Amino acid sequence: MKSIKVGLLGLGTVGTGVVRIVENHQEDLFGQVGSPIVIEKIVVQDRSKARNIAVDGDRMTEDVWEVINHPDIDVIVEVMGGVETTKTYILAALEQGKHIVTANKDLMALHGTEILEKAKEKGCDVLYEASVAGGIPIIRTLSEGFSSDRITKIMGIVNGTTNYILTKMSQEGAAYEDVLKEAQALGYAEADPTSDVEGLDAARKMTILATLGFHANVSLDDLAVKGISQVTKEEILYGKRLGYEVKLLGIAERQDDLISVSVQPTMVKKSHPLASVNGVFNAVYVYGEAVGETMFYGPGAGELPTATSVVADLVAVVKNMKLGVNGQRAQAPYKEKKLKTDEQIASKYFVLLHVADKAGVLAQITQVFAEYEVSLESVLQQPNPSNPSAEIIIVTHDASKANMNNVLKHFEGLEVIHQIKSVYRVEG
Amino acid sequence: MKSIKVGLLGLGTVGTGVVRIVENHQEDLFGQVGSPIVIEKIVVQDRSKARNIAVDGDRMTEDVWEVINHPDIDVIVEVMGGVETTKTYILAALEQGKHIVTANKDLMALHGTEILEKAKEKGCDVLYEASVAGGIPIIRTLSEGFSSDRITKIMGIVNGTTNYILTKMSQEGAAYEDVLKEAQALGYAEADPTSDVEGLDAARKMTILATLGFHANVSLDDLAVKGISQVTKEEILYGKRLGYEVKLLGIAERQDDLISVSVQPTMVKKSHPLASVNGVFNAVYVYGEAVGETMFYGPGAGELPTATSVVADLVAVVKNMKLGVNGQRAQAPYKEKKLKTDEQIASKYFVLLHVADKAGVLAQITQVFAEYEVSLESVLQQPNPSNPSAEIIIVTHDASKANMNNVLKHFEGLEVIHQIKSVYRVEG
């Protein structure tokens, strides 16, 4: 029986997990696809490096082209990361008719359309389940499970590092900087955490989810992105008092054909299923017109969870090979992308102000909201023990982003407002 | 362009939802499959009955064979329910080469193997996503999303009626009978609620999930099943005090090749994601060796959620038709079924005893646990205001079902134990 031969690009965390699963689950994988699956060649940067896994030296190569040009290799599994160079490799492999499984969110968010078009042209599969939310099969869920529905909202906790930090800040009342250091020591955050904490990683994943969920070609530039580096423990505490948890949410919304996608720290009502997703776990909440509320929860990263998704894609590629239908299941976006303007983006807001502690201030502030047609759900005023300002926390009803920006701009010119301390989107 | 013609068996709640989605989402469905999907004929019991949906009288028929034998119909969507007669229809339709989409858990739990074998023989698809957990695409998740992993545990809240009742009992301290009546008035429970409240509905769904997750032919007879009709508000209250919520859980477990499947009211630790699944919502928790903890949450029933899954299956069938690969993706169970004995089934237990309120009783009771090698995690003794017994609540560490049964049998012969009030499995 002919075995299916795989070329693995990269033997880092996820690559190691892929080797482990393919080798340890041989019997089960055979049960699934009816052929042995063999990792024929592995591209590494340094063959002499010590590894967490025993791999025969002959199987490793430092020459990526040896694998891409290998005549016996059917499928390339790309878990090396990187964007421009990696794209060159992937396109070259597709050119040679090899199928691709990738865990590379950066590549798919930035060049997914081009890669998928090339794949279609060459009759090849490009599967990328592992690129979003690690072990959660959310890409299959959006593209197959909900193929019958019109999805109107996707909200994701899709970055484990920031969710770990926010969870710790919430549970322990700790400061951002302290928890970040701890997360770095535990390996949950990178030495340079920028991509995670500033929301870029989440933005790339949301680009992929929005494209799939809304059938329109969403690109990274379409997203408004804000990270968690300015979130304070006080804000989290105030949120909790009002019944909210702060989460870094990716939010993709559609109304008729108008869409908006953003990433920002968000006050999530405690009764919402996303509010209790803690630690490094990920979750994606999907609202469909017909299905209603659903949520998919699991590990967002890690060697074996991410490799589970990679190998599930590998199984799908092999099944397609056996049926001769590779490259024919991918769904190109068939809708024109129309973005909402700031006038059309609506949400509730949580606003924390430091104001002069004197009569008439609250009336003046609420008057500004009224002027820009932002109605208020709740208002909490309290003395601020640490300085002579009073604190006012306001939660609005649904307001347009444009109106809210006008309110904030107006506030900047008001003498009684000492500081606009925080502005959060509110969900749930 | 040739349209895909569907015969719909049944125009009840789910059937109505299917008609609505297929008609309202024509454009989106076309985007998915590249052909119009048309519901050509609908089988109803009574054509003259008033409907919630406008359907042209010509499309309705009371003769199921007219649809099964209709030469232009490609796919039969079965949402009429029933088992034996329905099986006859499905097998006859397969015999004629028609693909099947069904929401019928009873049919699939009892005759799934036979139906899937016939489908394979005839090169037809039989898809049944809607048969378990309504709008949650859990069947796809198990069979495709986790195809690479070895699933070791599936725990499901797969019956919305009982979850609604238990949630209300927990949140309002209400009695079972009162909440059941309310659920019946709201249409959440049937006039004869037996199948739901005694766990049979959940058992059928767990049979399907265990078969898929463990690749072995689990049958309904293999399950130990207990419902919620004996659950009291006092037990729920005591559970809450110790940090548990009572949920009707289907639990399918695998260790090496040994499996066990059961349905029972279970004390679920509040920190477990299943504990906060409330009301009529369903959720399925899946633990895989590689992926770890995951959970899938959504509406378990209802017109449009269930129809979402039915129509997603219909989309999958049509895509397979276009590729000419119908009947080739289903995975027959490839593992021999080996059931755990009571000695091999292990779990924690919650035991509530009414005992004589005198010295030495607790010592006598804990001695019995020790004798059968059941070790204890926590013991709580309190006076019982309503009668002369004292109450003892014991939570054990993992114990075998056989040992636990021996303990309970021994208790029955002890004079100091007035009543074994409740025994719950504990999870989380």
Side-chain angles (χ1 to χ4, degrees):
Chain A
M1 182 180 323
K2 193 173 170 294
S3 64
I4 304 297
K5 294 198 170 56
V6 175
L8 182 63
L9 310 192
L11 191 57
T13 304
V14 179
T16 303
V18 170
V19 174
R20 277 195 223 282
I21 292 181
V22 169
E23 295 190 346
N24 297 345
H25 294 198
Q26 264 307 324
E27 189 196 337
D28 299 82
L29 294 174
F30 187 89
Q32 297 275 344
V33 301
S35 297
I37 295 178
V38 176
I39 296 179
E40 186 76 8
K41 280 280 177 192
I42 304 173
V43 179
V44 296
Q45 281 196 304
D46 178 1
R47 282 181 64 193
S48 63
K49 186 177 158 187
R51 305 272 166 195
N52 284 330
I53 190 168
V55 174
D56 186 2
D58 291 352
R59 284 166 73 198
M60 289 195 281
T61 173
E62 293 172 12
D63 177 11
V64 67
W65 295 106
E66 186 190 337
V67 173
I68 291 172
N69 294 324
H70 198 301
D72 298 340
I73 284 176
D74 309 291
V75 189
I76 298 285
V77 171
E78 186 274 300
V79 288
M80 64 196 285
V83 178
E84 295 307 330
T85 317
T86 310
K87 179 185 152 196
T88 312
Y89 300 153
I90 297 295
L91 291 175
L94 285 170
E95 198 58 54
Q96 302 212 21
K98 299 194 192 312
H99 311 294
I100 309 290
V101 173
T102 176
N104 193 328
K105 63 192 168 289
D106 304 336
L107 181 69
M108 292 309 293
L110 294 168
H111 302 297
T113 307
E114 183 181 348
I115 289 169
L116 291 168
E117 274 171 9
K118 171 62 80 180
K120 198 177 170 86
E121 179 196 324
K122 306 301 290 186
C124 292
D125 284 330
V126 173
L127 300 184
Y128 50 101
E129 183 64 81
S131 67
V132 181
I136 308 172
I138 187 64
I139 292 194
R140 278 179 175 69
T141 297
L142 289 177
S143 53
E144 296 172 26
F146 295 147
S147 61
S148 53
D149 204 0
R150 283 196 288 248
I151 292 165
T152 53
K153 194 163 192 174
I154 303 170
M155 296 200 288
I157 295 174
V158 289
N159 179 275
T161 303
T162 48
N163 202 47
Y164 174 85
I165 293 172
L166 292 172
T167 301
K168 278 276 178 178
M169 288 175 72
S170 170
Q171 291 178 347
E172 298 172 6
Y176 170 77
E177 292 75 14
D178 298 337
V179 182
L180 174 59
K181 270 182 212 139
E182 190 190 323
Q184 285 170 320
L186 286 166
Y188 291 160
E190 311 267 346
D192 174 3
T194 314
S195 163
D196 288 322
V197 300
E198 296 307 344
L200 186 60
D201 175 85
R204 289 174 167 174
K205 292 164 178 168
M206 290 308 297
T207 303
I208 295 172
L209 294 183
T211 298
L212 274 171
F214 300 156
H215 308 292
N217 232 324
V218 176
S219 82
L220 196 53
D221 302 336
D222 301 326
L223 274 70
V225 180
K226 191 180 165 194
I228 66 161
S229 59
Q230 305 304 315
V231 174
T232 68
K233 59 184 182 182
E234 288 76 19
E235 291 165 351
I236 290 178
L237 187 67
Y238 289 159
K240 281 165 92 101
R241 272 194 211 147
L242 292 173
Y244 299 102
E245 291 286 347
V246 176
K247 296 288 176 190
L248 183 69
L249 287 197
I251 303 179
E253 293 178 292
R254 178 167 76 169
Q255 249 177 330
D256 301 322
D257 273 341
L258 293 173
I259 65 182
S260 72
V261 190
S262 61
V263 171
Q264 62 276 299
T266 305
M267 293 276 178
V268 183
K269 198 95 184 164
K270 278 184 184 160
S271 55
H272 193 280
L274 284 169
S276 42
V277 174
N278 288 325
V280 293
F281 276 91
N282 278 200
V284 182
Y285 169 96
V286 179
Y287 192 93
E289 277 181 13
V291 76
E293 287 194 285
T294 63
M295 192 179 86
F296 306 91
Y297 169 93
E303 177 185 310
L304 290 174
T306 309
T308 300
S309 287
V310 171
V311 182
D313 276 352
L314 186 54
V315 166
V317 168
V318 176
K319 284 185 179 173
N320 284 344
M321 287 172 66
K322 302 230 142 188
L323 297 175
V325 295
N326 298 96
Q328 296 186 59
R329 294 197 161 256
Q331 181 86 58
Y334 55 89
K335 289 197 176 169
E336 192 193 342
K337 176 180 70 186
K338 293 180 208 156
L339 295 176
K340 285 188 182 184
T341 63
D342 282 359
E343 283 72 26
Q344 292 165 322
I345 297 173
S347 80
K348 295 166 72 171
Y349 288 91
F350 169 107
V351 183
L352 171 57
L353 303 171
H354 283 187
V355 301
D357 195 358
K358 61 182 185 185
V361 173
L362 190 56
Q364 203 175 340
I365 287 167
T366 51
Q367 176 54 35
V368 176
F369 280 104
E371 187 174 327
Y372 296 102
E373 295 180 339
V374 177
S375 66
L376 308 183
E377 179 185 292
S378 66
V379 177
L380 176 70
Q381 175 165 358
Q382 56 191 14
N384 181 342
S386 62
N387 72 39
S389 308
E391 289 184 337
I392 294 183
I393 299 171
I394 287 165
V395 178
T396 73
H397 286 298
D398 267 349
S400 81
K401 190 173 172 182
N403 283 345
M404 195 62 209
N405 285 341
N406 284 333
V407 168
L408 296 172
K409 191 180 274 178
H410 194 125
F411 281 170
E412 279 165 16
L414 281 190
E415 209 177 309
V416 297
I417 295 190
H418 297 164
Q419 196 182 1
I420 301 170
K421 202 66 186 156
S422 26
V423 180
Y424 282 85
R425 184 169 171 149
V426 173
E427 287 291 336
Chain B
M1 182 179 325
K2 193 175 169 293
S3 65
I4 304 296
K5 294 196 170 55
V6 175
L8 182 63
L9 311 192
L11 191 57
T13 305
V14 180
T16 303
V18 170
V19 174
R20 277 194 222 281
I21 293 181
V22 168
E23 296 189 346
N24 297 345
H25 294 198
Q26 262 309 324
E27 189 196 337
D28 299 83
L29 294 174
F30 188 89
Q32 297 276 343
V33 301
S35 297
I37 295 178
V38 176
I39 297 178
E40 186 76 10
K41 279 281 175 191
I42 304 172
V43 179
V44 296
Q45 281 194 305
D46 177 2
R47 283 181 63 191
S48 63
K49 187 177 157 184
R51 307 272 166 195
N52 284 330
I53 188 168
V55 173
D56 185 2
D58 290 351
R59 283 165 74 199
M60 290 196 280
T61 172
E62 293 173 12
D63 176 12
V64 67
W65 295 104
E66 186 191 334
V67 174
I68 291 172
N69 294 324
H70 197 301
D72 298 340
I73 283 177
D74 309 291
V75 189
I76 298 285
V77 172
E78 185 275 302
V79 289
M80 62 196 287
V83 178
E84 295 307 329
T85 318
T86 310
K87 179 185 152 194
T88 311
Y89 299 153
I90 297 294
L91 291 175
L94 286 169
E95 196 60 53
Q96 302 211 22
K98 298 195 192 312
H99 310 295
I100 309 290
V101 173
T102 176
N104 193 328
K105 63 192 168 290
D106 305 336
L107 181 68
M108 292 310 292
L110 295 168
H111 302 298
T113 308
E114 184 182 347
I115 288 170
L116 292 168
E117 274 169 10
K118 170 62 80 179
K120 198 179 171 83
E121 180 196 323
K122 307 301 291 185
C124 291
D125 284 331
V126 173
L127 300 184
Y128 50 100
E129 183 65 81
S131 67
V132 182
I136 308 172
I138 187 64
I139 292 195
R140 278 178 175 71
T141 297
L142 290 176
S143 52
E144 295 171 28
F146 295 147
S147 61
S148 54
D149 203 0
R150 282 195 289 248
I151 292 165
T152 53
K153 195 163 191 175
I154 304 170
M155 296 201 287
I157 294 174
V158 289
N159 180 275
T161 304
T162 49
N163 203 49
Y164 174 85
I165 293 173
L166 292 172
T167 301
K168 277 276 177 178
M169 288 175 72
S170 170
Q171 291 178 346
E172 298 172 6
Y176 170 77
E177 291 76 15
D178 298 336
V179 182
L180 173 59
K181 268 181 215 140
E182 190 190 322
Q184 285 171 321
L186 286 166
Y188 291 160
E190 310 267 344
D192 174 3
T194 313
S195 165
D196 289 322
V197 301
E198 297 306 344
L200 186 61
D201 175 84
R204 288 174 166 172
K205 291 164 177 167
M206 290 307 297
T207 303
I208 295 172
L209 294 182
T211 297
L212 273 171
F214 300 156
H215 308 291
N217 231 323
V218 176
S219 81
L220 196 54
D221 302 336
D222 300 326
L223 274 71
V225 180
K226 193 180 163 194
I228 66 160
S229 58
Q230 304 304 313
V231 174
T232 67
K233 59 184 181 181
E234 289 76 20
E235 291 165 351
I236 289 178
L237 187 67
Y238 289 160
K240 280 165 92 98
R241 270 193 213 150
L242 292 173
Y244 300 103
E245 290 286 348
V246 175
K247 294 289 177 190
L248 183 69
L249 287 197
I251 303 178
E253 293 179 292
R254 176 167 79 171
Q255 249 176 329
D256 302 321
D257 273 341
L258 292 173
I259 66 182
S260 71
V261 190
S262 61
V263 172
Q264 63 275 298
T266 304
M267 293 278 177
V268 182
K269 197 93 183 167
K270 277 183 186 160
S271 55
H272 192 282
L274 284 169
S276 42
V277 174
N278 287 325
V280 294
F281 276 91
N282 278 201
V284 182
Y285 169 96
V286 180
Y287 191 94
E289 278 181 15
V291 76
E293 287 193 286
T294 62
M295 192 178 86
F296 307 90
Y297 168 93
E303 178 185 309
L304 290 174
T306 309
T308 300
S309 287
V310 170
V311 182
D313 277 352
L314 185 55
V315 167
V317 167
V318 176
K319 285 186 178 171
N320 285 342
M321 287 172 67
K322 302 230 142 187
L323 297 174
V325 295
N326 298 96
Q328 295 186 60
R329 294 196 162 257
Q331 182 86 57
Y334 56 89
K335 288 197 178 171
E336 192 192 342
K337 178 180 70 187
K338 292 181 209 155
L339 295 175
K340 284 190 184 183
T341 63
D342 281 359
E343 283 73 25
Q344 292 164 324
I345 297 173
S347 80
K348 296 166 71 173
Y349 288 92
F350 169 108
V351 183
L352 171 59
L353 303 170
H354 283 188
V355 303
D357 196 358
K358 62 182 186 185
V361 173
L362 189 57
Q364 203 176 339
I365 287 167
T366 52
Q367 176 54 35
V368 176
F369 280 104
E371 187 177 326
Y372 296 101
E373 296 181 338
V374 177
S375 65
L376 307 184
E377 180 185 290
S378 66
V379 177
L380 176 69
Q381 177 167 357
Q382 57 191 12
N384 182 340
S386 62
N387 71 38
S389 307
E391 288 185 337
I392 294 182
I393 298 171
I394 288 165
V395 178
T396 74
H397 286 298
D398 267 349
S400 80
K401 190 173 173 183
N403 284 344
M404 195 61 208
N405 284 341
N406 284 332
V407 168
L408 296 173
K409 192 180 274 178
H410 195 125
F411 280 171
E412 280 166 15
L414 281 190
E415 210 176 308
V416 297
I417 295 190
H418 297 164
Q419 197 182 0
I420 301 169
K421 200 68 186 156
S422 29
V423 180
Y424 280 85
R425 185 169 171 149
V426 174
E427 288 290 338

